[in-house]
Amino acid sequence: MTNLTRRNFIKIGAAGTATVILAGCDSDERWVKIETYVRSPEEEVAGNPKWFATTCRQCGAGCGVIARVINGRAVKLEGNPEHPVNRGALCARGQAGLQVLYNPDRVQTAARQDGRATRNYEPIPWNTGINQLAEALNSAGSRVAVWVGTTTPGHLVDLFTRFTDAVGAPAPVRYDLNAGFGGYAPLSNASEGVLGQAGLPTYGIGDADFILSFGAEFLGSWISAAGYGREYGEFRSKRIGKARGYLVQLEPRMSNTAASADRWIPVHPGTEVLVAQAILRLIADGSAGSQERRDLAGQFAGDVDLEEIAEQTDISVETLQTLATTFANASRPLAIPGTPVTGRDNATEAVNAINALNVVAGNLGGSGGISLTPAAPINALAAPTYSNYQDAADLIAAMTNGEIDVLLVHGANPAFELPASAGFQAALENVGLVVSFASIVDETALYADLLLPDRVYLEGWGYDVATPGFQGLPIVSGQQPVVTPLYDNVAAADVLLTAAKSVSGAASALPWTDEVAFIKDIVTQLPEAAYPAEGDDVKWAYFLQHGGWWPAEAPESEAPEVSLGGPVELGPAMYEGDPAEYPYFLHLYMSPILGDGSGASQPWLQGTPDPMTTIAWQTWVEINPRTAEELDLDDGDIVRVSSPNGTIEAPIYRYPAIRPDTLAIPIGQGHEALSRYAKDRGANPVQLVSGTPGNDGNIAWSTVRVKLEKQGENKPLAVFESTVDQGEDVHIPF
Amino acid sequence: MAETNEHGHKWTMIVDLDKCNGCNACVVACHAENNVPIASEEEVIRGRGNHWIRIERYWEGEYPDVQARFIPVFCQQCGSAPCEPVCPTYASYHSTEQNLNVQVYNRCVGTRYCGNNCPYKVRFFNWWTPEWDSPLNEQLNPDVTVRSAGVMEKCTFCIQRIRRAENDATADGRELRDGDVQPACAQACPSRALVFGDLYDPESQVSERLPAERQFKLLENLGTEPAVYYLKGEDTHVGE
Ligand code: SF4
Ligand code: SF4
Ligand code: SF4
């Protein structure tokens, strides 16, 4: 029987300034046993599964997962039925997490790259890598930057933040596609106006009976797929006191959310706020709904010309009237702004315009409305904050100016997630040391000098404050290893804790011997949970067993203070690109299957058909069949799509449910690295947007115009649906 | 609508089309649970994509009055199954105890008659022995056979989970309870569009929910007696 430690016991030599010892193992939970099938420990019954509760890290939502483990192998991930975010459900990406663990292209030890982007990686002993980092951090002082993503576990973000605070560096930038494209920053900022305080809001979809969604793809990759998918099931159910919910989705291209809606309205791109303003006016002037709602609407309704709005939005006055009446009459109506709103100029104001509808609905802070996740119960656990793109752009500028000596990247892949014009890659040239903690070499790791691959979430420890939380509960989701780490990798938290010991100023801020000691320290401070637990050891054990901490009941919340003033008078979005040269609106969306693109490394996800087109493995350009006919384009014809910012090539898919003036492209493919399954496959349409921060400090994800050129080649589409048109004679080649 | 029978079970799935939103969580869950191989891009192009459960998407109408509908389709576990009588080796046969259509892999000689005769096109043929790049093979579920080349396969209602739940109940000295058996797809489904249970158990969720006003079965007119009930979507189209 071999005992392997979950934490490598590494002695680091006295080279250079640092002599640091990575903490050894002192308690039972840090040991696991590897067994062969033939010689099992007594309590192990061959073929009998064990179950471990942990947290999904395929997106930032923080769903609870139960892993089924047989003879040391993780063979299935399931939703944790107790966990308040997902209550037993798990999205497609969550299901595929096993392929993060067992991906054949994982980085198996620390490595140095001999020249950036050369792909010449030389494995090095971990102590060499950690020592190099420690020395660099020590001499960098405050000239250190940390870039993390929504999938970086919360405990690691907390440790990084303690480190940057201690050395006087700016707080970590937490920005990736989930946060950027999902509009976390404008959504959070706009909460101040309606909920009295900034923070990523939860939308109480399950308890609403009428939803007006302005392009929020909450059944796709938007913010919390499993959580909102679960809420949607409740929204569709009838309960005492609640009718079956009715969903109206306004967006230029029908997503799978719009396909599930009761009504899809192909609104003119960029005019969502006008729709909201028209509805407010109509409620104020109409007779539907309560007097209170009409009065509130009067406060927010500007001086609008309905006929003109009808023309601008392509929505008739009658339809606007129907929407207004239904909204005013519904008992719990809800308005949700999606990427078309958060990805435009003046995004926060645009969200305010939509939120005015929620003020009218009177749904702030309660069930069926928008609310903030209650603060985590102890000070050490602040609600996660997400950076705006401006913060990322400022960091890139600092890098360009040579102000950053060491850049640490974890859980984000800016080289893929940002357009080239953001200048990230170019800025790296002036950074002395770039360190990537990625478990598979991604586009950013291609530019790293040092690879210190973190353990993947199924082999690592952690916690995460789930944001958005659900049912009004603060949730600290727990993460623990479900298998013995596959490779010789050291947890990023341990790398940091070890290196910090020799960084002046940092050692006292990070006194924990190792990652588990830190997490345990936090967890044992938590107050009473939904399950009874007495004493530190029991608390810790139950935290792991239940998959986290949450109270039995939602804490009392006070009615939020609304400070939205009068009407939001915002015009249609400003589009980049001259309409004469760039005739089409570009509608980007995150693939509901591949998410932010990290899913492209997993064959289960690559092979899963896109719900709307049934295409797998590829990137495609969606075009209205009428427009395609005018341009003499057929399915699979390769086109070049260009914007003022960049160009990509991909095959055409004739899409019946998109405006004739709009082209839609999924984000997710187009990787230069990220495993054999992702590399050199499809195109990355992020290149089409501008890397210059907009007036709200965000990326204008949804306000770019493009043009289309036929390339004269055809690529067969990997579609699962039948390719035979109705009535067509086919020759069956069998 | 519980049906009565002294012995055995009548396993049934209800698919609520008002809740299914095409998220495909069920599809990935099924691949993971049942060791279903992933077809490469080239194979998908050749029409050899394989998913034991798939989300069919239908377009209706033309822009702007166009609608899309999702229908999850998997083996309907027909009571009178067209795939069964055509099998020369009894690889495709009916389990009278479970009321399931069962595929015995080591009897299958790959005539593909069953695939031809299934009106729902839910049977998939293994043209090659599936391969998993190491260490992806570690993810394989040891409770489920990895099928080899030349063998037909399809949705089993996660028969291994039914068996395990039965064994566990026997070991505990009790009857099987509603909810003990959860196929991987139904378990994952975020919106709870899929509900599974035993129609012979009058207390089960499926018995309590059926008959439903919105219920229908796929290609019912063929007389296949599917065990899967679909519930129509409930769109009311306010103001149209
Ligand atoms: S929504 Fe996010 S956290 Fe939840 S299962 Fe899906 S990927 Fe995992
Ligand atoms: S998991 Fe449920 S909602 Fe998602 S596609 Fe499958 S049946 Fe539909
Ligand atoms: S759906 Fe097809 S495979 Fe399943 S029992 Fe019916 S005929 Fe056989």
Side-chain angles (χ1 to χ4, degrees), chain A residues 499-623:
Chain A
K501 301 248 178 302
S502 60
V503 177
S504 55
S508 57
L510 297 166
W512 296 277
T513 46
D514 65 11
E515 182 181 39
V516 176
F518 168 67
I519 298 169
K520 212 169 164 175
D521 190 5
I522 300 286
V523 166
T524 48
Q525 292 175 42
L526 286 163
E528 202 180 329
Y531 45 83
E534 293 279 336
D536 286 357
D537 287 344
V538 179
K539 259 187 177 178
W540 171 242
Y542 280 16
F543 178 81
L544 300 179
Q545 190 183 337
H546 290 267
W549 174 96
W550 48 86
E553 274 171 32
E556 288 281 317
S557 61
E558 287 165 27
E561 225 167 274
V562 181
S563 59
L564 265 193
V568 181
E569 278 168 1
L570 196 60
M574 301 286 293
Y575 273 77
E576 194 191 356
D578 176 3
E581 189 182 353
Y582 300 101
Y584 304 104
F585 296 104
L586 174 67
H587 180 84
L588 294 179
Y589 62 98
M590 265 207 260
S591 157
I593 310 292
L594 302 179
D596 57 358
S598 56
S601 67
Q602 298 146 40
W604 276 336
L605 297 182
Q606 284 281 7
T608 297
D610 169 75
M612 297 307 292
T613 60
T614 76
I615 300 176
W617 293 101
Q618 298 177 332
T619 300
W620 59 92
V621 178
E622 292 165 15
I623 188 170

Side-chain angles (χ1 to χ4, degrees), chain A residues 452-489:
Chain A
L452 300 176
D454 194 3
R455 291 176 178 171
V456 302
Y457 67 96
L458 293 171
E459 6 167 86
W461 299 92
Y463 63 70
D464 203 64
V465 179
T467 316
F470 288 90
Q471 295 117 44
L473 296 170
I475 302 157
V476 183
S477 200
Q479 185 192 323
Q480 65 173 322
V482 307
V483 293
T484 313
L486 261 59
Y487 304 115
D488 172 31
N489 290 343

Side-chain angles (χ1 to χ4, degrees), chain A residues 342-424:
Chain A
T342 57
R344 59 163 287 177
D345 52 295
N346 299 304
T348 308
E349 244 186 295
V351 176
N352 282 339
I354 311 293
N355 272 349
L357 285 168
N358 289 319
V359 180
V360 170
N363 68 17
L364 306 176
S367 73
I370 60 174
S371 54
L372 287 178
T373 308
I378 54 175
N379 289 339
L381 287 177
T385 50
Y386 301 97
S387 308
N388 201 353
Y389 174 59
Q390 186 68 55
D391 305 316
D394 290 347
L395 172 56
I396 293 174
M399 283 158 51
T400 309
N401 297 337
E403 293 161 21
I404 304 296
D405 293 344
V406 182
L407 174 69
L408 310 180
V409 188
H410 187 290
N413 184 6
F416 174 84
E417 296 173 313
L418 297 180
S421 59
F424 175 75

Side-chain angles (χ1 to χ4, degrees), chain B residues 73-84 92 94 100-103 114-115 117-123 153-155 224-226:
Chain B
V73 179
F74 43 95
C75 174
Q76 307 290 301
Q77 307 293 352
C78 304
S80 173
C83 59
E84 289 166 9
S92 171
H94 213 79
L100 291 181
N101 171 269
V102 188
Q103 181 73 4
C114 56
N117 231 32
C118 166
Y120 304 96
K121 296 290 162 239
V122 292
R123 291 179 157 263
E153 60 181 61
K154 65 158 189 77
C155 156
T224 48
E225 297 167 24

